[in-house]
Amino acid sequence: MPSAEQYSELAELAGGFVHEIKNHISTLGMNLQMLAEDYADPQSTREKRALHRVTRLQGECQRLVDVSNDFLRFTRATELQRKPASLDEVVVGMLDFLMPTARHANITISWYPPPDLPPIPLDVDLFRQALLNLLLNAEQAMPDGGEITIAARVEPDYVTLDIIDTGCGIAAEMMGRIFRPFQTSKPGGTGLGLPTTKRIVEAHGGTIAVESEPGRGTRFSLRLPVH
């Protein structure tokens, strides 16, 4: 079995490889943009067909850039710079960011912090990414609106953060695979959001668990050490 050092070297190599590919994709995308500008006002059927193909290629390039970015976040999810942080401030900041789109989607978000919530050693930027992944998943599971409840509870040496939605739930056949890279049932999804979240939580010394019932909603529970 490969050692942790070998895994780290492999992740670094893969990250460098994807970064290089991403640079070439960006160059390709810029050239497609210039080509699209040449066909900005198509006159003939041939020009309209060419513009349609260029636009499709632009979409595919953007998709590859999105996958590359998600993969780079996945490979770097264990590079922590932790310091004591207020979980309440992190959650409130994330809700300020998400509230406008949530209201537009007819989704209400409630946050219930306990009064004795202690500071937690966090890499705040990475943990925000993990939290954002979970909240975006919850929003996408409720296309007709619904409720997201975020609650924390204090245990000896740990804080547990629950994120509960009233969405469509997770199909039974997906439950055992949701944390595997590139496993997704969402059109256009990369399948790296939840695996990245799991890596970030575990890199903090924590655990993540999920409970779900199709048609009833989903609960993700993040258990984080206080020390």
Side-chain angles (χ1 to χ4, degrees), residues 21-35:
I21 289 177
K22 181 184 169 186
N23 288 338
H24 290 291
I25 294 170
S26 296
T27 301
L28 177 60
M30 285 188 290
N31 281 276
L32 286 170
Q33 178 61 37
M34 290 186 287
L35 189 58

Side-chain angles (χ1 to χ4, degrees), residues 111-147:
W111 162 227
Y112 299 102
D116 56 343
L117 191 60
I120 300 175
L122 294 176
D123 182 311
V124 172
D125 288 338
L126 276 178
F127 188 75
R128 280 178 182 148
Q129 182 62 53
L131 187 59
L132 178 62
N133 289 342
L134 293 174
L135 290 172
L136 289 178
N137 268 14
E139 284 192 0
Q140 291 164 3
M142 298 182 290
D144 299 321
E147 300 177 11

Side-chain angles (χ1 to χ4, degrees), residues 106-117:
N106 197 30
I107 293 172
T108 60
I109 308 178
S110 302
W111 162 227
Y112 299 102
D116 56 343
L117 191 60

